[in-house]
Amino acid sequence: MVLSAVLQRGRDAFDASDMVAAAQAFEQASELKPEESSFRQQFTLAVYKTQKPTPEVALLRALKIIDVLKPDDSNDPETHGITGAIHKNVWLLKRERVHLDFALRYYSRGFEIRRDYYNGENLASCFDMRSMEQEDPAERQFDKMSARKTRMALVGILQSIVSEPSFTERSDQAWIYATLTNTMYGLGRAAEGALYEDEFRKLNPPNWHIATFDKTKVTLSALVEGNDRDPEMA
């Protein structure tokens, strides 16, 4: 099988939100060219998005796949982002604190290395999640302020990208608008968030992009509402 044909099949499957077919294609691409990390990254992403045979099994399988790229030693923010996402989703399923701490570690590294916006958005959300688990008021406040500081940095990074003349040529426009949306909502700037959400939806992204965005928005809404109810003020 020619590699280019396998890759096209994988990309088409992602566009059609067919994660099972995408996983099969990028698994084959990884076997054909094992030294290409991006193929294994896409393989991992598709596997955990399948949620089959169960969400937990899919996530744990994905963790084994991405481990080949040695996330602890990597300087690739994509590897950090995917590894962080797996741990975050295991945390959401099982509420085992170790997975939330792992998610924070990987997202933090991915954001620090290249100011990667995907890692930054999720780092902020994980700080919010951890703040709600903290028993020490000082630790809770630290996490809340870390989330806000990360989001403020993201606004500057993303608005700078959007203002560039070459922005319309970028393939990740939808993700940038989605991240700006959730960042603004996280900062309590709902009107600006709504404007960016309109831009995101106007691009008619694939269904799995929309599903990911909607899920993140619901999670963020619960986090913001939960953090507004500060125990110290109750």
Side-chain angles (χ1 to χ4, degrees), residues 41-54:
Q41 290 164 349
Q42 294 302 295
F43 176 28
T44 305
L45 176 64
V47 164
Y48 95 70
K49 290 287 186 181
T50 65
Q51 300 190 50
K52 294 183 178 181
T54 68

Side-chain angles (χ1 to χ4, degrees), residues 63-116:
L63 201 56
K64 291 181 179 179
I65 296 168
I66 199 70
D67 192 57
V68 172
L69 298 181
K70 302 185 183 305
D72 286 334
D73 302 320
S74 175
N75 287 321
D76 186 339
E78 185 74 11
T79 295
H80 296 138
I82 292 171
T83 309
I86 295 167
H87 281 291
K88 182 185 75 173
N89 280 283
V90 174
W91 149 254
L92 290 170
L93 279 175
K94 303 185 73 174
R95 299 292 169 172
E96 293 175 350
R97 172 66 179 270
V98 64
H99 288 289
L100 181 57
D101 289 337
F102 272 129
L104 276 159
R105 177 200 297 180
Y106 292 118
Y107 284 139
S108 179
R109 184 163 173 78
F111 189 52
E112 288 171 0
I113 288 174
R114 293 187 195 170
R115 310 304 277 175
D116 176 74

